[in-house]
PDB file of all heavy atoms in Angstrom:
ATOM      1  N   GLY A 100     -15.655  20.795   2.911  1.00  0.00           N
ATOM      2  CA  GLY A 100     -16.335  20.207   4.059  1.00  0.00           C
ATOM      3  C   GLY A 100     -16.903  18.831   3.760  1.00  0.00           C
ATOM      4  O   GLY A 100     -17.441  18.594   2.676  1.00  0.00           O
ATOM      5  N   VAL A 101     -16.768  17.900   4.693  1.00  0.00           N
ATOM      6  CA  VAL A 101     -17.239  16.522   4.525  1.00  0.00           C
ATOM      7  C   VAL A 101     -18.024  16.119   5.768  1.00  0.00           C
ATOM      8  O   VAL A 101     -17.922  16.765   6.817  1.00  0.00           O
ATOM      9  CB  VAL A 101     -16.067  15.539   4.307  1.00  0.00           C
ATOM     10  CG1 VAL A 101     -15.312  15.879   3.034  1.00  0.00           C
ATOM     11  CG2 VAL A 101     -15.126  15.532   5.518  1.00  0.00           C
ATOM     12  N   PRO A 102     -18.807  15.048   5.701  1.00  0.00           N
ATOM     13  CA  PRO A 102     -19.527  14.597   6.891  1.00  0.00           C
ATOM     14  C   PRO A 102     -18.566  14.119   7.981  1.00  0.00           C
ATOM     15  O   PRO A 102     -17.629  13.370   7.705  1.00  0.00           O
ATOM     16  CB  PRO A 102     -20.373  13.421   6.381  1.00  0.00           C
ATOM     17  CG  PRO A 102     -20.475  13.622   4.904  1.00  0.00           C
ATOM     18  CD  PRO A 102     -19.177  14.260   4.502  1.00  0.00           C
ATOM     19  N   ILE A 103     -18.796  14.569   9.192  1.00  0.00           N
ATOM     20  CA  ILE A 103     -18.054  14.058  10.346  1.00  0.00           C
ATOM     21  C   ILE A 103     -18.852  12.872  10.891  1.00  0.00           C
ATOM     22  O   ILE A 103     -19.965  13.036  11.401  1.00  0.00           O
ATOM     23  CB  ILE A 103     -17.871  15.142  11.425  1.00  0.00           C
ATOM     24  CG1 ILE A 103     -17.005  16.285  10.877  1.00  0.00           C
ATOM     25  CG2 ILE A 103     -17.235  14.548  12.679  1.00  0.00           C
ATOM     26  CD1 ILE A 103     -16.869  17.468  11.819  1.00  0.00           C
ATOM     27  N   ILE A 104     -18.303  11.689  10.741  1.00  0.00           N
ATOM     28  CA  ILE A 104     -18.995  10.456  11.118  1.00  0.00           C
ATOM     29  C   ILE A 104     -18.371   9.916  12.401  1.00  0.00           C
ATOM     30  O   ILE A 104     -17.182   9.595  12.434  1.00  0.00           O
ATOM     31  CB  ILE A 104     -18.897   9.390  10.003  1.00  0.00           C
ATOM     32  CG1 ILE A 104     -19.403   9.944   8.678  1.00  0.00           C
ATOM     33  CG2 ILE A 104     -19.644   8.124  10.407  1.00  0.00           C
ATOM     34  CD1 ILE A 104     -20.874  10.251   8.650  1.00  0.00           C
ATOM     35  N   LYS A 105     -19.178   9.797  13.439  1.00  0.00           N
ATOM     36  CA  LYS A 105     -18.668   9.330  14.732  1.00  0.00           C
ATOM     37  C   LYS A 105     -19.187   7.949  15.107  1.00  0.00           C
ATOM     38  O   LYS A 105     -18.658   7.333  16.021  1.00  0.00           O
ATOM     39  CB  LYS A 105     -19.044  10.323  15.826  1.00  0.00           C
ATOM     40  CG  LYS A 105     -18.466  11.718  15.614  1.00  0.00           C
ATOM     41  CD  LYS A 105     -18.866  12.654  16.739  1.00  0.00           C
ATOM     42  CE  LYS A 105     -18.321  14.057  16.510  1.00  0.00           C
ATOM     43  NZ  LYS A 105     -18.711  14.993  17.602  1.00  0.00           N
ATOM     44  N   GLU A 106     -20.241   7.480  14.433  1.00  0.00           N
ATOM     45  CA  GLU A 106     -20.794   6.177  14.760  1.00  0.00           C
ATOM     46  C   GLU A 106     -20.282   5.113  13.802  1.00  0.00           C
ATOM     47  O   GLU A 106     -19.751   5.427  12.729  1.00  0.00           O
ATOM     48  CB  GLU A 106     -22.324   6.212  14.725  1.00  0.00           C
ATOM     49  CG  GLU A 106     -22.906   6.587  13.360  1.00  0.00           C
ATOM     50  CD  GLU A 106     -24.413   6.730  13.400  1.00  0.00           C
ATOM     51  OE1 GLU A 106     -25.093   5.676  13.456  1.00  0.00           O
ATOM     52  OE2 GLU A 106     -24.907   7.874  13.383  1.00  0.00           O
ATOM     53  N   VAL A 107     -20.449   3.871  14.177  1.00  0.00           N
ATOM     54  CA  VAL A 107     -20.009   2.754  13.347  1.00  0.00           C
ATOM     55  C   VAL A 107     -21.176   2.309  12.469  1.00  0.00           C
ATOM     56  O   VAL A 107     -22.118   1.688  12.942  1.00  0.00           O
ATOM     57  CB  VAL A 107     -19.517   1.577  14.219  1.00  0.00           C
ATOM     58  CG1 VAL A 107     -19.092   0.415  13.319  1.00  0.00           C
ATOM     59  CG2 VAL A 107     -18.358   2.017  15.107  1.00  0.00           C
ATOM     60  N   TYR A 108     -21.100   2.650  11.207  1.00  0.00           N
ATOM     61  CA  TYR A 108     -22.141   2.252  10.268  1.00  0.00           C
ATOM     62  C   TYR A 108     -21.903   0.809   9.816  1.00  0.00           C
ATOM     63  O   TYR A 108     -20.763   0.346   9.738  1.00  0.00           O
ATOM     64  CB  TYR A 108     -22.141   3.172   9.041  1.00  0.00           C
ATOM     65  CG  TYR A 108     -22.818   4.507   9.271  1.00  0.00           C
ATOM     66  CD1 TYR A 108     -22.145   5.553   9.903  1.00  0.00           C
ATOM     67  CD2 TYR A 108     -24.128   4.716   8.863  1.00  0.00           C
ATOM     68  CE1 TYR A 108     -22.766   6.782  10.116  1.00  0.00           C
ATOM     69  CE2 TYR A 108     -24.747   5.942   9.056  1.00  0.00           C
ATOM     70  CZ  TYR A 108     -24.067   6.969   9.690  1.00  0.00           C
ATOM     71  OH  TYR A 108     -24.684   8.168   9.893  1.00  0.00           O
ATOM     72  N   ASP A 109     -22.990   0.119   9.507  1.00  0.00           N
ATOM     73  CA  ASP A 109     -22.863  -1.206   8.910  1.00  0.00           C
ATOM     74  C   ASP A 109     -23.736  -1.281   7.670  1.00  0.00           C
ATOM     75  O   ASP A 109     -24.333  -0.275   7.257  1.00  0.00           O
ATOM     76  CB  ASP A 109     -23.214  -2.314   9.910  1.00  0.00           C
ATOM     77  CG  ASP A 109     -24.642  -2.209  10.446  1.00  0.00           C
ATOM     78  OD1 ASP A 109     -25.540  -1.756   9.696  1.00  0.00           O
ATOM     79  OD2 ASP A 109     -24.873  -2.598  11.606  1.00  0.00           O
ATOM     80  N   ILE A 110     -23.859  -2.457   7.086  1.00  0.00           N
ATOM     81  CA  ILE A 110     -24.560  -2.600   5.818  1.00  0.00           C
ATOM     82  C   ILE A 110     -26.037  -2.244   5.923  1.00  0.00           C
ATOM     83  O   ILE A 110     -26.679  -1.889   4.937  1.00  0.00           O
ATOM     84  CB  ILE A 110     -24.380  -4.040   5.276  1.00  0.00           C
ATOM     85  CG1 ILE A 110     -24.786  -4.106   3.806  1.00  0.00           C
ATOM     86  CG2 ILE A 110     -25.161  -5.040   6.139  1.00  0.00           C
ATOM     87  CD1 ILE A 110     -24.399  -5.412   3.148  1.00  0.00           C
ATOM     88  N   ASN A 111     -26.593  -2.305   7.136  1.00  0.00           N
ATOM     89  CA  ASN A 111     -28.011  -2.005   7.330  1.00  0.00           C
ATOM     90  C   ASN A 111     -28.260  -0.567   7.771  1.00  0.00           C
ATOM     91  O   ASN A 111     -29.417  -0.188   7.988  1.00  0.00           O
ATOM     92  CB  ASN A 111     -28.602  -2.961   8.366  1.00  0.00           C
ATOM     93  CG  ASN A 111     -28.542  -4.408   7.916  1.00  0.00           C
ATOM     94  OD1 ASN A 111     -28.881  -4.730   6.781  1.00  0.00           O
ATOM     95  ND2 ASN A 111     -28.094  -5.286   8.821  1.00  0.00           N
ATOM     96  N   SER A 112     -27.218   0.206   7.908  1.00  0.00           N
ATOM     97  CA  SER A 112     -27.371   1.576   8.392  1.00  0.00           C
ATOM     98  C   SER A 112     -28.055   2.455   7.354  1.00  0.00           C
ATOM     99  O   SER A 112     -27.953   2.229   6.140  1.00  0.00           O
ATOM    100  CB  SER A 112     -26.011   2.169   8.753  1.00  0.00           C
ATOM    101  OG  SER A 112     -25.406   1.453   9.807  1.00  0.00           O
ATOM    102  N   ASP A 113     -28.741   3.455   7.845  1.00  0.00           N
ATOM    103  CA  ASP A 113     -29.437   4.413   6.981  1.00  0.00           C
ATOM    104  C   ASP A 113     -28.519   5.598   6.708  1.00  0.00           C
ATOM    105  O   ASP A 113     -28.153   6.340   7.620  1.00  0.00           O
ATOM    106  CB  ASP A 113     -30.719   4.875   7.671  1.00  0.00           C
ATOM    107  CG  ASP A 113     -31.510   5.877   6.821  1.00  0.00           C
ATOM    108  OD1 ASP A 113     -31.167   6.047   5.629  1.00  0.00           O
ATOM    109  OD2 ASP A 113     -32.451   6.487   7.359  1.00  0.00           O
ATOM    110  N   TRP A 114     -28.131   5.753   5.452  1.00  0.00           N
ATOM    111  CA  TRP A 114     -27.239   6.840   5.056  1.00  0.00           C
ATOM    112  C   TRP A 114     -28.001   8.091   4.610  1.00  0.00           C
ATOM    113  O   TRP A 114     -27.392   9.096   4.265  1.00  0.00           O
ATOM    114  CB  TRP A 114     -26.342   6.391   3.900  1.00  0.00           C
ATOM    115  CG  TRP A 114     -25.288   5.414   4.318  1.00  0.00           C
ATOM    116  CD1 TRP A 114     -25.419   4.059   4.417  1.00  0.00           C
ATOM    117  CD2 TRP A 114     -23.952   5.713   4.703  1.00  0.00           C
ATOM    118  NE1 TRP A 114     -24.242   3.489   4.841  1.00  0.00           N
ATOM    119  CE2 TRP A 114     -23.313   4.483   5.020  1.00  0.00           C
ATOM    120  CE3 TRP A 114     -23.216   6.892   4.814  1.00  0.00           C
ATOM    121  CZ2 TRP A 114     -21.998   4.410   5.445  1.00  0.00           C
ATOM    122  CZ3 TRP A 114     -21.898   6.813   5.233  1.00  0.00           C
ATOM    123  CH2 TRP A 114     -21.301   5.596   5.534  1.00  0.00           C
TER     124      TRP A 114
END
Side-chain angles (χ1 to χ4, degrees):
V101 298
I103 296 175
I104 305 293
K105 299 180 182 180
E106 61 185 285
V107 179
Y108 281 81
D109 60 33
I110 195 169
N111 297 314
S112 297
D113 180 11
W114 288 86

